[in-house]
């Protein structure tokens, strides 16, 4: 059995005096898709931010690739971040430049590759997300689904081992959402990534999830496979899967 790519132990997060996450412990398996679910305000995004030290955890342990990240110095931490990619909820593309330049940013900042090779890599990534025709368009010229795919191409620019997706289906119609889910699953297999998705979309969860982490009011109520989650007798989890959304 593979070691988990991320190990979380007794993670507590606070905003000033308010406890937002309380003693969270969970394993995120390698090369699988783990979805983090729960009601609005339950701590899903806070968990992601604390796992990747965008916020410093109040207490507890987080190991990524077997390394404790809560106490490592900045150069070590930056090396961990270079092995991860992030698809933000709104895409977070720079509207003032074209798609080519958006995707070039991480390659130019974190590698010493020549411009010609960077151009080839950008074209490869856009082909992977079925967006080759948009290479020199601006984000404003793209539909919502195309912007998400462009942002996804940027997120995988450095061939990350871990991809984090924050509400990837937000604002998309069901058909576009389904296409994006299929794309994410294909990329997982092609690039051999471990993927963490924050979502509340029931259809997406059923399509993509291998594993589920369920939070409620800052506490971990469930961590396991999707099949176990669907069969669970935990009342809050039963409500989630029967209602679709909180």
């Amino acid at each position: 059995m593979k070691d988990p790519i991320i190990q979380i132990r007794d993670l507590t997060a606070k905003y000033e005096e308010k406890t937002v996450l309380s003693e969270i412990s969970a394993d995120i398996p390698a090369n699988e898709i783990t979805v983090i679910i729960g009601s609005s305000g339950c701590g899903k995004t806070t968990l992601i931010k604390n796992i990747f030290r965008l916020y410093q955890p109040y207490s507890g342990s987080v190991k990524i690739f077997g390394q404790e990240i809560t106490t490592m110095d900045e150069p070590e931490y930056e090396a961990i971040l270079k092995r991860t990619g992030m698809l933000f909820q709104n895409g977070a593309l720079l509207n003032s430049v074209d798609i080519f330049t958006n995707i070039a940013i991480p390659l130019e900042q974190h590698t010493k590759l020549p411009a010609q090779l960077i151009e080839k890599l950008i074209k490869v990534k856009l082909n992977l997300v079925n967006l080759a025709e948009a290479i020199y368009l601006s984000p404003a010229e793209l539909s919502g689904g195309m912007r998400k795919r462009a942002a996804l191409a940027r997120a995988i620019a450095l061939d990350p081992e871990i991809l984090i997706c924050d509400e990837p289906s937000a604002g998309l119609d069901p058909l576009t959402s389904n296409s994006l889910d299929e794309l994410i699953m294909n990329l997982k297999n092609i690039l051999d990534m471990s993927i963490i998705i924050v979502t509340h979309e029931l259809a997406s969860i059923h399509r993509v999830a291998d594993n589920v982490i369920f939070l409620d009011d800052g506490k971990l109520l469930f961590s396991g496979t999707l099949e176990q989650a669907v069969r669970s007798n935990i009342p809050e989890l039963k409500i989630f899967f029967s209602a679709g959304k909180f």
Side-chain angles (χ1 to χ4, degrees):
M1 188 175 181
K2 290 182 181 178
D3 290 334
I5 201 160
I6 299 174
Q7 295 173 292
I8 308 159
R9 295 292 180 270
D10 301 319
L11 176 65
T12 295
K14 290 190 175 186
Y15 293 145
E16 297 180 346
E17 296 302 312
K18 182 181 179 182
T19 299
V20 183
L21 296 173
S22 180
E23 298 184 346
I24 305 295
S25 294
D27 289 338
I28 296 179
N31 310 118
E32 295 184 1
I33 297 178
T34 299
V35 297
I36 302 175
I37 62 176
S39 61
S40 179
C42 70
K44 301 186 293 294
T45 299
T46 298
L47 178 58
I48 290 293
K49 288 179 177 178
N50 277 263
I51 290 173
F52 292 95
R53 216 171 81 173
L54 301 176
Y55 293 152
Q56 183 67 32
Y58 178 78
S59 62
S61 166
V62 178
K63 290 183 179 179
I64 303 178
F65 309 120
Q67 301 177 61
E68 178 62 54
I69 69 128
T70 60
T71 55
M72 64 174 47
D73 60 27
E74 284 302 315
E76 290 176 309
Y77 169 63
E78 286 178 10
I80 294 287
L81 281 187
K82 287 177 186 177
R83 298 167 69 183
T84 68
M86 180 76 183
L87 175 62
F88 296 93
Q89 182 174 339
N90 61 2
L93 296 169
L94 298 177
N95 291 319
S96 58
V97 296
D98 60 19
I99 298 305
F100 178 95
T101 306
N102 267 281
I103 301 171
I105 290 169
L107 291 164
E108 291 172 348
Q109 287 186 340
H110 299 298
T111 75
K112 296 180 180 179
L113 297 172
Q116 191 174 20
L117 183 52
I118 286 177
E119 181 179 354
K120 287 182 180 179
L121 286 172
I122 290 169
K123 290 178 179 178
V124 167
K125 302 307 180 187
L126 284 172
N127 276 321
L128 283 174
V129 301
N130 306 315
L131 206 61
E133 74 280 4
I135 186 167
Y136 297 118
L137 298 179
S138 70
E141 295 177 279
L142 305 183
S143 67
M146 292 171 76
R147 283 195 296 273
K148 286 286 177 77
R149 283 188 279 146
L152 185 54
R154 186 183 59 187
I156 62 171
L158 296 172
D159 293 328
E161 294 162 70
I162 299 173
L163 175 67
I164 308 106
C165 303
D166 187 10
E167 298 282 4
S169 299
L172 301 180
D173 64 82
L175 191 59
T176 305
S177 176
N178 181 55
S179 296
L180 184 64
D181 287 341
E182 290 181 359
L183 177 58
I184 288 170
M185 289 188 290
N186 287 337
L187 289 174
K188 183 203 80 164
N189 295 326
I190 292 169
L191 301 177
D192 200 26
M193 292 186 296
S194 308
I195 300 179
I196 304 168
I197 299 176
V198 174
T199 185
H200 62 271
E201 300 287 347
L202 190 62
S204 273
I205 294 164
H206 281 293
R207 277 194 294 264
V208 306
D210 297 306
N211 308 288
V212 169
I213 291 173
F214 183 78
L215 301 179
D216 184 67
D217 195 25
K219 296 179 175 62
L220 178 73
L221 293 193
F222 176 87
S223 179
T225 67
L226 174 63
E227 183 180 357
Q228 291 168 339
V230 172
R231 286 203 223 151
S232 170
N233 287 320
I234 297 170
E236 294 87 347
L237 202 50
K238 291 179 75 172
I239 292 170
F240 184 93
F241 279 107
S242 64
K245 296 181 183 179
F246 276 87

